[in-house]
Amino acid sequence: MLLAIDIGNTRIKAAVFEENTLLEVVVFSKETLQEKVQSILKNHTAITDLIVASVGEIGRKDFLVWDTTVKIHFVSHESLFPFQNHYATPHTLGIDRMVLAAGAVLQFPNQNRLVIDAGTCITYDFIDAKDVYHGGAISPGIRLRYESLHEYTANLPLLSVENFTVDEHKQAQVNLIGSSTQESIHSGVVNGIVNEIDGFINMYSAKFSNFIIILTGGDTEFLAKRLKNTIFANSNFLLESLNQTYQYKIKND
């Protein structure tokens, strides 16, 4: 049994796997890392291995307390991945982006893949049908856009997606034409991101055939229902990719 941990910019997600079966997902703050991991290990005593992908300050030393309990695998740029990395600066490429690319290769073989991770930042990662990673793009995520409008202007309020009006179908409404400052901010942020993502997808789709688009990250559910393009949406894709990266490592060591 495996415990996979994704340490992002704002939070930590952990998942328990029995081979390819996802048993449990836990989301928590960085401040509660020790107690949450200890609780998971206590509740799942069959866990033998722990794999970690971190883009934050939390590193291997923060997991040494469990090194006599489980075998710890900390994903790094030197780890074994199922693709050729053609990024011009490979050691600056985020570990999370590398894990997502690995998951895309292992789960969707022999096709072009675009992985879109909608979290604190929105990252776009392209891996071709020959399993070559080329790179992609990085832009601000939903929360960052709201915060920047507030922090870098004198009078704009700090908003979030929680400020939306919800209709009778429990669908958060975003007007194209904002009739107030708040509605205008929501329109700019949400419609801007949706059109950005659809635009990227259209440009990639025009250039490459045999193509799959994978949407993941914390804002997956919110964005998936608004996009015009057909996508594979899975908010737990990074955790599943961590599990697949672990299995790939075990098979190829």
Side-chain angles (χ1 to χ4, degrees):
M1 191 174 286
L2 175 73
L3 173 59
I5 298 180
D6 163 31
I7 303 173
N9 290 299
T10 58
R11 63 178 184 172
I12 297 175
K13 290 183 70 175
V16 179
F17 289 92
E18 181 67 64
E19 295 185 350
N20 287 320
T21 302
L22 178 59
L23 302 179
E24 180 183 14
V25 175
V26 182
V27 182
F28 50 92
S29 67
K30 296 178 181 179
E31 292 73 23
T32 60
L33 171 67
Q34 297 285 328
E35 63 180 274
K36 292 296 184 180
V37 172
Q38 188 61 42
S39 176
I40 294 170
L41 293 175
K42 181 179 179 181
N43 292 335
H44 298 276
T45 55
I47 292 175
T48 58
D49 292 78
L50 188 156
I51 187 167
V52 183
S54 176
V55 298
E57 297 178 354
I58 295 176
R60 181 184 294 272
K61 66 181 186 305
D62 298 289
F63 290 86
L64 293 180
V65 65
W66 298 293
D67 67 349
T68 59
T69 305
V70 295
K71 187 175 181 180
I72 299 172
H73 311 266
F74 217 86
V75 183
S76 71
H77 291 95
E78 286 69 43
S79 297
L80 185 65
F81 291 98
F83 57 83
Q84 299 177 55
N85 191 345
H86 283 196
Y87 206 54
T89 55
H91 280 83
T92 69
L93 182 60
I95 293 298
D96 54 340
R97 297 175 70 185
M98 297 182 73
V99 171
L100 288 169
V105 168
L106 295 170
Q107 189 165 337
F108 302 100
N110 305 315
Q111 56 189 307
N112 295 305
R113 312 94 165 169
L114 177 64
V115 185
I116 305 169
D117 185 5
T120 303
C121 293
I122 302 174
T123 58
Y124 301 82
D125 294 289
F126 176 68
I127 313 96
D128 69 23
K130 295 182 179 179
D131 300 338
V132 176
Y133 176 90
H134 293 274
I138 304 173
S139 70
I142 292 178
R143 183 176 63 84
L144 280 182
R145 298 189 193 206
Y146 280 120
E147 289 179 352
S148 64
L149 286 173
H150 172 65
E151 292 178 6
Y152 293 97
T153 62
N155 298 312
L156 294 181
L158 177 59
L159 303 180
S160 70
V161 292
E162 283 74 29
N163 298 124
F164 285 131
T165 301
V166 178
D167 67 13
E168 66 271 18
H169 303 294
K170 296 185 178 180
Q171 172 72 34
Q173 294 300 296
V174 183
N175 296 324
L176 174 62
I177 303 173
S179 60
S180 67
T181 298
Q182 289 201 8
E183 286 187 4
S184 296
I185 292 173
H186 287 316
S187 179
V189 170
V190 176
N191 291 320
I193 285 180
V194 168
N195 281 285
E196 173 193 304
I197 294 175
D198 273 326
F200 268 109
I201 292 172
N202 290 338
M203 287 188 288
Y204 274 96
S205 297
K207 190 172 183 179
F208 303 98
S209 59
N210 186 25
F211 202 72
I212 185 167
I213 301 100
I214 305 156
L215 177 67
T216 190
D219 292 321
T220 298
E221 183 178 350
F222 179 81
L223 292 172
K225 62 188 70 172
R226 293 175 165 81
L227 296 173
K228 295 178 182 178
N229 285 281
T230 302
I231 58 172
F232 172 78
N234 181 357
S235 60
N236 293 321
F237 189 71
L238 197 150
L239 290 170
E240 294 178 3
S241 297
L242 266 175
N243 178 49
Q244 292 170 336
T245 299
Y246 162 79
Q247 293 190 33
Y248 178 80
K249 167 185 166 61
I250 296 302
K251 291 176 182 177
N252 292 277
D253 266 352

